[in-house]
Amino acid sequence: MSNGGELDRRLLRRRHEALANDVSLIASEFLAGFQKVREIDRPAVSIFGSARVLEGSAVYERARETAAVFARAGFAVVTGGGPGVMEAANRGCREAGGLSVGFNIELPHEQGLNPYCDLSLTFKHFYARKTMFVKAAEGFVIFPGGFGTLDELFEALTLIQTGKIGSFPVVLFDRGYWAPMLEWIRARMLEEGLVSAVDIELLHVTDDPAEAADCVVSRYEDRLDEGSA
Ligand SMILES: C/C(=C\CNc1ncnc2c1ncn2[C@@H]1O[C@H](COP(=O)(O)O)[C@@H](O)[C@H]1O)CO
């Protein structure tokens, strides 16, 4: 099965004769993604986190619980549709009667879509898929994770910091996990003038599922009152 990697590698090799066709394939993936986002009939949160945590682990169970709180608040839960935190969040949302959405990705070592998604789409390209996490969401909750999770966290933060999207809440779940990163951001990035204090204020840190949900839901309600949601 094609995993999109061949197309990405071809684009980067700059084989110009193939570019127009390749770009139109990518455009059609964006369009299919936007159409799927339109099917989400309520406000949504995008939840990111490790693909590797297992059922029963603290991170998995907190993600499941957090997604359930969002579902009970009337929010859809959007994830990458894979295993680990993605599965936990889709599962928690489904168990609480919410709308559970998975934007999966074709990978060389296929993991497949987890069985807890009501709406789903599988992408070939990370960049089209990442746009849908942002397009769909009123905020972001990020659980402990590795490179993929950090990529999604900093994508959201950069879009907010540069004003490409509104100032949506970004919640880091698990104080202990994120503390060293936040300390480094303050001690080095801020100290050396590479970010501003207001940039750091974009991040909210919590260990509490209800607080994570309240942060996103209350900001959404404020935007509704202002007429900007
Ligand atoms: C490596 C494993 C599974 C890979 N399958 C994935 N399926 C869907 N989405 C994924 C997968 N791996 C990473 N992602 C995305 O990145 C985030 C997690 O990455 P991390 O490096 O594990 O932090 C996640 O939010 C996904 O969107 C398990 O064997």
Side-chain angles (χ1 to χ4, degrees), residues 158-166:
T158 306
L159 291 170
I160 296 167
Q161 181 197 42
T162 56
K164 290 288 182 186
I165 61 173

Side-chain angles (χ1 to χ4, degrees), residues 7-217:
L7 172 52
D8 282 341
R9 282 193 289 273
R10 199 163 69 209
L11 275 171
L12 294 173
R13 280 201 308 268
R14 296 173 193 272
R15 288 203 26 214
H16 284 278
E17 66 277 15
L19 279 180
N21 188 44
D22 290 350
V23 169
S24 71
L25 287 175
I26 292 166
S28 63
E29 185 159 63
F30 273 94
L31 186 59
F34 289 130
Q35 282 165 341
K36 191 55 70 174
V37 169
R38 285 194 66 188
E39 292 179 38
I40 304 174
D41 61 356
R42 61 198 81 182
V45 61
S46 284
I47 295 184
F48 306 135
S50 172
R52 302 177 188 214
V53 296
L54 298 177
E55 180 178 1
S57 68
V59 170
Y60 186 105
E61 297 306 332
R62 297 328 288 279
R64 187 174 174 183
E65 201 179 333
T66 302
V69 179
F70 274 105
R72 288 195 288 269
F75 268 55
V77 171
V78 178
T79 79
V85 165
M86 298 169 272
E87 176 189 295
N90 289 130
R91 184 175 182 177
C93 175
R94 163 80 66 84
E95 287 165 345
L99 180 69
S100 171
V101 184
F103 288 135
N104 205 212
I105 182 86
E106 286 181 7
L107 294 172
H109 306 293
E110 186 66 41
Q111 301 288 317
L113 187 71
N114 73 60
Y116 303 102
C117 297
D118 304 311
L119 279 181
S120 67
L121 186 64
T122 297
F123 289 80
K124 291 185 190 305
H125 303 101
F126 273 107
Y127 35 90
R129 174 180 182 251
K130 282 198 290 184
T131 300
M132 303 314 144
F133 291 140
V134 173
K135 174 78 177 158
E138 301 295 335
F140 307 90
V141 180
I142 298 95
F143 283 82
F147 292 165
T149 301
L150 292 182
D151 178 43
E152 290 158 355
L153 163 63
F154 286 107
E155 165 105 358
L157 273 180
T158 306
L159 291 170
I160 296 167
Q161 181 197 42
T162 56
K164 290 288 182 186
I165 61 173
S167 188
F168 295 100
V170 180
V171 182
L172 299 178
F173 197 101
D174 193 332
R175 287 180 185 281
Y177 185 80
W178 297 108
M181 183 190 82
L182 291 170
E183 180 46 35
W184 173 73
I185 288 173
R186 285 195 195 92
R188 300 302 304 262
M189 287 189 182
L190 183 62
E191 199 60 27
E192 295 175 27
L194 307 180
V195 294
S196 315
V198 289
D199 298 329
I200 297 178
E201 285 163 18
L202 294 171
L203 291 163
H204 306 263
V205 195
T206 187
D207 290 312
D208 177 14
E211 188 181 324
D214 184 60
C215 191
V216 176
V217 173

